[in-house]
Amino acid sequence: MKITEKIIKKHGLKLEEYENIKKLLKREPNLLELGIFSAMWNEHCSYKSSRIHLKKLPTKGKHVIQGPGENAGVIDIGDDDAIIFKIESHNHPSYIEPYQGAATGVGGILRDVFTMGARPIALLNSIHFGSPTHFKTKSLLNGVVSGIGGYGNCIGIPTVAGETKFNETYNENILVNAMAVGHAKKDKIFYSKAKGLNKSVVYVGSKTGRDGIHGASMASAEFDDNSEEKKPTVQVGDPFTEKLLMEACLELMKDNSIISIQDMGAAGLTSSSVEMASKGELGIELELDKVPCREENMSPYEMMLSESQERMLIILEDGKEEHAKKIFDKWDLDFVVIGKTTNTNNLTLKFNKEVQGEIPIEALASKAPIYNREWTKKIIKKKKINLKDLKKIKLEDALVKILSSPNHSNKSWVTNQYDQSVMCDTVQKSGSDAAIIRIHNKDKAIAVSVDSSANYCKSHPVTGGKQIVCENWRNLITVGAKPLAITNCLNFGNPENKEIMGEFAECLEGIKEACEFLNYPVVSGNVSFYNGTNKKNIYPTPVIGGVGLIKRLSKPISHNFKKNNSSIILIGKTFGHLEQSCFLKENYSIIEGMPPEINLLNEKNNGEYLLKLIDKNLILSAHDISSGGLITALSEMSMNSKYGAKILKPKKLTNLFEYFFGEDQARYIVEIDTNNLIKVKKILKDGNIYFEEIGITQKDQFEIESEFNISIKELFKINNEWYNNF
């Protein structure tokens, strides 16, 4: 078949990229080879627009065993225990086919974790939908949530935390980010780097079908009005087979049979074989007629580009083939030796004993395009919002408006579809700042959380990038965990647009600054570009997934008030920042100005001193302050308890709306037994930590001095109304 300009463009390649392919091959590629280049050179697999910027992120630290570059990141949590985790996007597939797109997103991220030898112990997600009034939103929400729950529940991994948000910027391009966390022993971590010559390359798992062909390429392009036609590019998942595959792989990992192992994810057999060979600086030869297929007459092109799920590629030690086959036979899974490692440094593809394609590995990997795309710095239009110009509203009415809004309403309709307790190690479920998972049979645990803040990133990308790292940091601290490392999923629009590329570059600068200052390295992640339809790009939405360590799990901290008549302290200064606030958005439809300033020194000091108080058992409950400000955080602490609060009016800020709804950062609310109040105040004063006594807890009521008094039952009802009526 002659390669035409139309065929080149259909494969998502630029004409200049095709010319580069010809130079590397020193000839014209055939269709199979073109498809392989398309898969490996697309944005999703090559990171060609982001790699330059990603190199700036801090990736090393005291606890880091493996940073970016493997299937997932690995951190040391002591006692020879390691935590393996990563977050990835499945945005485009989930918009086209919500159930399968979300389900296979969960399946794919789980494979990234157990491929490295870890038993998965928790799933998290960050899902973003368009306006609730958009005609597609309800069906997309139903499909995605069902897909996440369906896959996770069936395979038996608890979905313990996440976030569900709505914004019209996602009307035509939803975001579905899935995170998985696993536990392994430090001496039983497996990598994808191929080693040795003439080693058996083994295909295991499900058979290969025609689903998902060009899935990675589809994920590297903008949508248009014909996006529905891309349904065949969406993979189909089978959680029951994945469970078998996971158990078979973990069983084989108990001995010394495996040299390297790689999940067949995006770009399927192509990416898995190329990545293994590239890391090992070897060649690899595949006999494609041996690939187990579930459909008749599949071509080499289809086999190499299929993204059928629940498959692995393994390189075995000599003589281990029979032993390994017995294990996979026991679990009723395909096990076929389909190739070998070579010293050619080529990807050699045979079919019916004839060579169908031969490509230098480096042409697909190290010599893939790297673009230093032009970008423009965000021009900030500073505009101070004058509250006097706004219509008068009551404090209580403003709070009700926020608590009943889609983004702040109770999400139990979503979380109730996820099994959060399977495996019996979930100590704290979704609903708190972070979930807590016990390390099985031990008195220690990890805390996990995912966070994003698209409005902040849109208005000032550098500050927004810093803020989301800090919010994630705070969420772990409030449950008593020491933050150790993060994974990120960077969701942006078209990188060929200078403004979009600028948002990306500046957001990463903010993430870098915060991670460096907080000693909070990035160990894994994913970049998702081209999120948009018909030139309408989403807001920049970096999602941060954090993992922290709780060394002694004696008494987990949550954010619900615990006792009557205990003291409530606000840690951190309040300046009353209302620009880009939830208060202005929900009450006045104003989305303007700068996000709140980030003082990294205050973030670090305030967080570390709160951890000291928790370690000394001086804290009853704690909650960070973020979207919606102080009053929203206090309401959340009340609604999840039988105790409310009686809060004093501020002595310094005279404007109550600025004080109660301002979204100043580096702040926490803590509940303290009155018997410990003197000790707590001394520790904070000695550390030069700013704090205020703002009130006490009380039964059944939430009260702001001289302003309003509302029952907890009523608050709960208000908070549950939107989802119940949606």
Side-chain angles (χ1 to χ4, degrees):
M1 178 186 289
K2 181 173 174 58
I3 305 298
T4 63
E5 186 174 325
K6 184 179 179 181
I7 291 172
I8 294 166
K9 288 183 177 179
K10 191 175 180 181
H11 281 77
L13 292 164
K14 309 285 186 187
L15 293 179
E16 56 268 29
E17 290 176 335
Y18 181 71
E19 291 302 315
N20 193 19
I21 290 170
K22 289 197 297 183
K23 287 179 184 177
L24 289 167
L25 292 177
K26 300 177 181 177
R27 58 177 172 83
E28 294 267 355
N30 60 34
L31 186 63
L32 170 61
E33 293 168 332
L34 183 72
I36 288 168
F37 272 105
S38 165
M40 294 305 299
W41 282 20
N42 65 54
E43 198 72 57
H44 190 79
C45 293
S46 73
Y47 293 84
K48 58 189 177 186
S49 299
S50 58
R51 215 182 307 176
I52 288 173
H53 299 279
L54 294 172
K55 287 179 179 179
K56 301 173 184 176
L57 294 174
T59 59
K60 297 180 180 178
K62 178 182 174 183
H63 298 275
V64 177
I65 296 173
Q66 174 66 54
E70 266 294 341
N71 287 293
V74 187
I75 58 173
D76 187 344
I77 61 166
D79 307 314
D80 294 322
D81 292 315
I83 294 296
I84 298 175
F85 63 104
K86 188 182 182 183
I87 189 169
E88 275 204 344
S89 63
H90 230 223
N91 304 335
H92 288 62
S94 299
Y95 181 74
I96 297 168
E97 216 315 309
Y99 185 96
Q100 289 297 346
T104 51
V106 173
I109 199 64
L110 283 171
R111 289 195 301 279
D112 281 341
V113 166
F114 73 73
T115 297
M116 296 194 70
R119 179 168 291 281
I121 58 175
L123 288 164
L124 301 87
N125 55 74
S126 175
I127 51 180
H128 297 245
F129 300 92
S131 167
T133 59
H134 191 268
F135 72 99
K136 286 187 178 180
T137 297
K138 187 178 287 188
S139 63
L140 289 169
L141 175 67
N142 281 321
V144 166
V145 171
S146 297
I148 292 170
Y151 206 100
N153 295 351
C154 287
I155 199 171
I157 311 295
T159 301
V160 298
E163 57 177 7
T164 305
K165 293 185 176 182
F166 301 88
N167 189 307
E168 65 183 12
T169 186
Y170 310 110
N171 278 351
E172 306 295 334
N173 196 121
I174 63 174
L175 302 183
V176 177
N177 295 179
M179 177 175 169
V181 184
H183 169 243
K185 287 298 181 182
K186 282 167 57 178
D187 63 348
K188 282 293 183 181
I189 298 169
F190 292 80
Y191 300 94
S192 57
K193 180 179 178 180
K195 296 178 184 177
L197 295 178
N198 294 311
K199 303 295 184 182
S200 294
V201 177
V202 184
Y203 174 119
V204 300
S206 289
K207 288 180 169 56
T208 295
R210 290 189 171 96
D211 55 316
I213 293 173
H214 290 301
S217 299
M218 175 270 293
S220 304
E222 281 188 319
F223 284 149
D224 54 29
D225 293 330
N226 301 314
S227 60
E228 290 293 315
E229 295 175 6
K230 297 180 179 180
K231 278 191 176 182
T233 63
V234 179
Q235 311 90 332
V236 177
D238 179 358
F240 300 105
T241 300
E242 177 122 335
K243 171 68 172 174
L244 300 176
L245 180 63
M246 178 177 71
E247 297 300 340
C249 288
L250 292 175
E251 183 175 342
L252 184 59
M253 287 168 173
K254 290 178 181 178
D255 57 39
N256 297 315
S257 298
I258 296 175
I259 296 174
S260 63
I261 180 169
Q262 176 70 43
D263 159 44
M264 289 193 220
L269 187 54
T270 290
S271 63
S272 56
S273 56
V274 171
E275 286 173 16
M276 294 170 90
S278 171
K279 290 172 184 176
E281 298 181 346
L282 295 169
I284 196 164
E285 181 181 293
L286 301 178
E287 296 180 62
L288 297 180
D289 45 309
K290 293 182 178 180
V291 172
C293 296
R294 65 169 180 260
E295 298 183 48
E296 292 183 359
N297 301 317
M298 287 190 68
S299 68
Y301 181 97
E302 292 170 322
M303 293 178 199
M304 290 301 295
L305 297 182
S306 168
E307 293 184 9
S308 294
Q309 298 291 284
E310 296 85 38
R311 302 179 300 158
M312 294 281 189
L313 204 61
I314 301 175
I315 297 176
L316 290 174
E317 292 283 5
D318 292 338
K320 295 290 185 178
E321 292 86 354
E322 195 59 38
H323 164 68
K325 188 176 186 305
K326 284 180 181 178
I327 292 173
F328 283 87
D329 285 348
K330 182 181 77 173
W331 292 100
D332 198 24
L333 295 165
D334 279 298
F335 178 101
V336 184
V337 178
I338 64 166
K340 63 182 180 181
T341 58
T342 71
N343 62 0
T344 64
N345 294 110
N346 290 338
L347 173 66
T348 305
L349 303 174
K350 292 183 175 180
F351 189 68
N352 293 332
K353 298 182 179 180
E354 292 184 4
V355 175
Q356 301 290 320
E358 187 145 22
I359 307 172
I361 292 290
E362 64 176 7
L364 297 168
S366 62
K367 291 190 176 180
I370 298 177
Y371 296 134
N372 188 5
R373 297 193 185 276
E374 290 185 54
W375 60 276
T376 56
K377 198 174 180 67
K378 183 82 173 182
I379 299 171
I380 309 298
K381 296 179 181 177
K382 293 187 178 181
K383 181 182 177 182
K384 185 69 177 176
I385 296 163
N386 191 345
L387 293 180
K388 293 179 181 178
D389 296 338
L390 302 176
K391 66 177 184 180
K392 299 290 183 182
I393 58 172
K394 294 180 180 179
L395 203 68
E396 181 180 0
D397 293 342
L399 174 62
V400 167
K401 194 85 171 178
I402 290 172
L403 293 181
S404 59
S405 68
N407 283 323
H408 284 83
S409 62
N410 188 303
K411 305 295 194 304
S412 57
W413 178 87
V414 173
T415 57
N416 286 345
Q417 295 189 52
Y418 308 148
D419 190 333
Q420 299 185 61
S421 300
V422 65
M423 299 178 72
C424 300
D425 283 320
T426 308
V427 176
Q428 194 155 280
K429 306 175 185 177
S430 62
S432 288
D433 291 309
I436 299 174
I437 311 298
R438 181 189 294 106
I439 302 302
H440 196 63
N441 289 331
K442 294 191 177 182
D443 188 37
K444 67 178 180 181
I446 58 166
V448 291
S449 180
V450 292
D451 300 279
S452 64
S453 187
N455 278 356
Y456 287 177
C457 291
K458 182 67 177 176
S459 60
H460 194 273
V462 175
T463 302
K466 285 193 278 190
Q467 187 275 337
I468 199 59
V469 173
C470 292
E471 184 176 344
N472 186 266
W473 159 274
R474 293 196 300 271
N475 282 336
L476 298 181
I477 282 176
T478 56
V479 299
K482 177 179 173 56
L484 297 184
I486 69 167
T487 180
N488 58 40
C489 195
L490 308 172
N491 307 279
F492 289 79
N494 189 334
E496 298 167 53
N497 179 310
K498 293 180 184 180
E499 291 183 5
I500 302 298
M501 200 64 215
E503 291 173 347
F504 179 81
E506 292 194 283
C507 270
L508 250 69
E509 181 59 35
I511 292 171
K512 170 183 173 290
E513 284 184 38
C515 286
E516 285 180 343
F517 198 92
L518 299 173
N519 297 318
Y520 203 27
V522 181
V523 298
S524 61
N526 171 235
V527 177
S528 177
F529 278 136
Y530 296 97
N531 289 291
T533 298
N534 292 328
K535 309 301 180 183
K536 293 181 181 177
N537 294 288
I538 65 163
Y539 276 10
T541 313
V543 176
I544 302 296
V547 176
L549 175 64
I550 301 173
K551 287 185 178 180
R552 293 182 300 281
L553 192 58
S554 53
K555 189 178 181 182
I557 301 293
S558 64
H559 73 225
N560 53 303
F561 288 130
K562 302 296 189 299
K563 290 178 65 176
N564 188 39
N565 206 38
S566 50
S567 297
I568 302 172
I569 283 182
L570 169 62
I571 293 176
K573 281 189 179 182
T574 299
F575 300 99
H577 187 98
L578 284 178
E579 293 174 45
Q580 292 295 333
S581 69
C582 180
F583 167 74
L584 288 179
K585 180 180 182 294
E586 298 300 342
N587 288 281
Y588 299 99
S589 299
I590 295 174
I591 310 173
E592 292 180 8
M594 292 279 289
E597 181 184 345
I598 305 298
N599 185 313
L600 291 172
L601 182 62
N602 287 345
E603 287 283 2
K604 189 172 185 179
N605 289 344
N606 293 354
E608 288 181 346
Y609 268 85
L610 177 54
L611 269 185
K612 285 182 181 180
L613 296 175
I614 293 172
D615 288 343
K616 293 177 182 292
N617 294 316
L618 296 173
I619 300 297
L620 294 173
S621 64
H623 194 13
D624 89 302
I625 301 172
S626 53
S627 178
L630 171 63
I631 196 170
T632 304
L634 287 165
S635 300
E636 290 168 350
M637 297 176 81
S638 300
M639 287 186 294
N640 290 289
S641 168
K642 60 182 179 182
Y643 301 105
K646 185 175 183 178
I647 304 301
L648 304 171
K649 283 186 177 180
K651 295 176 182 178
K652 294 185 179 179
L653 281 178
T654 55
N655 187 299
L656 294 184
F657 294 97
E658 289 180 342
Y659 181 78
F660 283 113
F661 292 101
E663 296 183 5
D664 308 290
Q665 302 291 290
R667 295 186 300 159
Y668 303 86
I669 304 165
V670 294
E671 178 192 6
I672 300 162
D673 190 304
T674 50
N675 295 324
N676 293 325
L677 186 58
I678 293 172
K679 288 182 187 176
V680 170
K681 289 166 70 172
K682 185 179 185 306
I683 290 170
L684 293 174
K685 285 177 181 176
D686 289 348
N688 200 28
I689 304 298
Y690 183 88
F691 69 92
E692 301 173 33
E693 293 181 67
I694 62 171
I696 59 170
T697 58
Q698 62 179 4
K699 284 187 176 180
D700 303 325
Q701 300 292 120
F702 181 67
E703 179 182 354
I704 305 295
E705 180 187 15
S706 305
E707 290 295 320
F708 69 84
N709 191 342
I710 187 170
S711 71
I712 294 172
K713 285 183 179 178
E714 184 63 23
L715 274 182
F716 186 83
K717 181 183 175 184
I718 291 164
N719 194 229
N720 279 269
E721 275 181 348
W722 184 81
Y723 256 98
N724 290 339
N725 296 323
F726 182 52

